[in-house]
Amino acid sequence: MAENNGNVKIHVEHLKKNFGALEVLKDVSIDIHEGEVVVILGPSGSGKSTFLRCLNRLEEITGGTVIVDGYDITDKSTDINKVRENVGMVFQLFNLFNNLDVMGNMMLAPTELKRATKEEAHETAMQLLRRVGLADKAEAYPAQLSGGQKQRVAIARALAMHPDIMLFDEPTSALDPEMVGEVLQVMKNLAREGMTMVVVTHEIGFAREVASRVIFMEGGYIVEQGTPDEVINHPKEQRTIDFLSKVL
């Protein structure tokens, strides 16, 4: 993976997130560097998705500091929409606009937010649809697509904003098993091209093959982190060992 240790793209220090009295993130600190693919593993309720959603302030941050691409997003004066233009997000349930065809979904944000012309946005959309193998679906509506196709459109739509960072929140967990591979292939290609990625997933094989770093979270903390070999094949912490014994 292309990785530049000098360039920290995401800096998280003592991050806390409460929902009322419930502490979901208790104290999370991590630096993610340019070109890194960081895969987050952990049981349900460990805080993985909440952590990811704090990285573009889809969840308001209770305490600590989060700096994304040099912008302190815990500072209320930061224009979070400006930061989000550079951070692509792919959700578990695709979040496509059902009333727009694929091309409409692809062109909406670049023309509205990045002020691209319709011609520029259309050209970029077609390039990206070709890249994810869906150029023939440009005029199809989401209801006409399989789950795997919807998720590939969702990834292409996020890439249409030319982000520096991509966040993936369990992108394959809503898919039938035979569709998982086509989505993971698109993500593997992105990783090879040097995209900085943070991926919450249960796909251990993907973590082994693609991650530059694997993080195991439980109970609102990072319990263990290291290379895929260190964390998946030779975990040190008992909580990591217990989790992996259930999923491997």
Side-chain angles (χ1 to χ4, degrees):
M1 307 299 145
E3 184 183 328
N4 172 3
N5 283 329
N7 193 349
V8 175
K9 297 294 273 184
I10 300 171
H11 171 73
V12 179
E13 205 172 329
H14 303 305
L15 171 63
K16 294 179 170 60
K17 172 61 185 173
N18 298 356
F19 292 100
L22 179 66
E23 280 187 298
V24 177
L25 298 176
K26 293 169 184 166
D27 184 4
V28 177
S29 297
I30 186 173
D31 281 346
I32 296 169
H33 297 92
E34 185 171 11
E36 258 198 302
V37 178
V38 175
V39 172
I40 304 175
L41 304 175
S44 295
S46 59
K48 309 182 300 291
S49 291
T50 300
F51 169 70
L52 199 71
R53 291 169 68 86
C54 285
L55 298 183
N56 61 0
R57 230 172 72 197
L58 284 177
E59 298 291 356
E60 284 302 326
I61 292 160
T62 305
T65 305
V66 179
I67 296 172
V68 177
D69 248 350
Y71 293 94
D72 182 352
I73 67 168
T74 37
D75 181 343
K76 292 287 184 253
S77 66
T78 298
D79 180 353
I80 190 62
N81 291 323
K82 194 84 197 131
V83 179
R84 283 181 187 147
E85 286 180 17
N86 235 8
V87 182
M89 178 104 185
V90 177
F91 300 88
Q92 186 176 345
L93 292 171
F94 327 126
N95 289 22
L96 298 177
F97 297 107
N98 290 321
N99 60 326
L100 296 176
D101 64 11
V102 166
M103 185 54 73
N105 268 281
M106 294 283 297
M107 289 174 57
L108 186 65
T111 52
E112 295 284 319
L113 300 175
K114 283 262 169 134
R115 305 288 182 262
T117 66
K118 286 224 162 71
E119 292 73 22
E120 289 165 348
H122 189 278
E123 188 177 333
T124 299
M126 280 312 297
Q127 285 172 354
L128 289 167
L129 287 173
R130 279 195 287 274
R131 191 161 147 193
V132 299
L134 290 171
D136 59 329
K137 299 293 185 188
E139 293 176 8
Y141 282 81
Q144 298 168 301
L145 302 177
S146 71
Q149 289 170 333
K150 285 181 196 171
Q151 196 58 294
R152 283 186 284 155
V153 170
I155 294 171
R157 179 179 65 173
L159 292 173
M161 292 294 284
H162 304 292
D164 283 346
I165 299 165
M166 287 283 285
L167 308 177
F168 294 87
D169 189 8
E170 302 204 17
T172 58
S173 62
L175 299 179
D176 293 332
E178 69 270 18
M179 291 169 191
V180 169
E182 65 192 57
V183 173
L184 293 181
Q185 190 55 54
V186 171
M187 294 169 64
K188 287 174 191 172
N189 293 345
L190 268 183
R192 274 199 283 273
E193 290 160 17
M195 175 67 76
T196 306
M197 296 163 61
V198 187
V199 184
V200 171
T201 186
H202 295 291
E203 299 290 339
I204 305 288
F206 175 83
R208 270 207 179 103
E209 186 181 343
V210 182
S212 23
R213 189 161 28 139
V214 173
I215 290 169
F216 175 71
M217 284 185 74
E218 193 187 56
Y221 296 100
I222 292 175
V223 173
E224 187 164 357
Q225 61 176 305
T227 65
D229 184 57
E230 287 165 344
V231 175
I232 297 170
N233 299 339
H234 304 98
K236 295 182 182 67
E237 299 292 331
Q238 190 57 48
R239 285 182 290 176
T240 318
I241 294 165
D242 291 345
F243 171 76
L244 289 167
S245 72
K246 295 188 185 90
V247 298
L248 286 177

